[in-house]
């Protein structure tokens, strides 16, 4: 009886991958036009020059866009070259940018 209860509790605690991560961001799931929003935010952080946004704000915008892309499985072709630009060895917070690239990955990319 104890072994059966332990097995059932282990099954409840297992990670369900993408579905488990989608439950973490319910507000992102309720967006009306995630493709349009992600395109507009990405275009805005791409077109502003060095004086437009601070680097920390660009990181926050990248995080938001990559979460949208990962959760809704969107195709933003401009996103990946944009992220690659910030993956140089001299760049600050390279590990965060790598995490954002992983976050934006899904089956259709």
């Amino acid at each position: 009886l104890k072994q059966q209860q332990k097995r059932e509790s282990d099954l409840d605690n297992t990670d369900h991958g993408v579905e488990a991560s989608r439950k973490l961001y319910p507000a992102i799931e309720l967006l009306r036009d995630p493709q349009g929003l992600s395109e507009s935010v990405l275009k805005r952080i791409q077109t502003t020059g060095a004086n437009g946004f601070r680097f920390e704000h660009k990181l926050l915008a990248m995080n938001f866009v990559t979460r949208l892309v990962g959760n809704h499985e969107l195709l933003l072709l401009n996103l990946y070259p944009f992220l690659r630009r910030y993956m140089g060895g001299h760049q600050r917070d390279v590990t965060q940018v790598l995490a954002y690239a992983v976050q934006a990955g899904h089956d259709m990319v």
Side-chain angles (χ1 to χ4, degrees):
L1 184 63
K2 287 183 182 181
Q3 289 177 348
Q4 184 180 5
Q5 288 175 345
K6 182 175 169 66
R7 272 189 250 127
E8 289 176 358
S9 67
D10 288 342
L11 289 176
D12 292 340
N13 294 336
T14 58
D15 184 24
H16 297 290
V18 175
E19 293 301 321
S21 69
R22 285 187 179 172
K23 291 178 184 175
L24 294 176
Y25 310 111
I28 287 178
E29 287 294 316
L30 297 175
L31 289 174
R32 180 177 300 204
D33 183 21
Q35 179 79 31
L37 179 63
S38 60
E39 286 174 356
S40 66
V41 171
L42 182 63
K43 184 178 178 183
R44 187 167 182 192
I45 61 175
Q46 281 180 334
T47 57
T48 55
N51 296 331
F53 286 120
R54 290 180 47 193
F55 184 67
E56 292 83 12
H57 296 155
K58 279 191 177 185
L59 285 177
L60 288 172
M62 281 188 241
N63 187 11
F64 177 66
V65 170
T66 56
R67 278 192 185 159
L68 281 175
V69 169
N71 278 357
H72 290 282
E73 296 184 357
L74 305 174
L75 291 177
L76 275 180
L77 299 179
N78 299 341
L79 176 65
Y80 303 102
F82 178 72
L83 290 175
R84 191 179 61 196
R85 188 176 2 166
Y86 292 99
M87 288 185 193
H90 63 282
Q91 188 68 42
R92 281 180 25 198
D93 299 324
V94 176
T95 55
Q96 283 186 339
V97 176
L98 285 171
Y100 298 155
V102 170
Q103 195 170 315
H106 51 81
D107 293 339
M108 296 183 348
V109 175

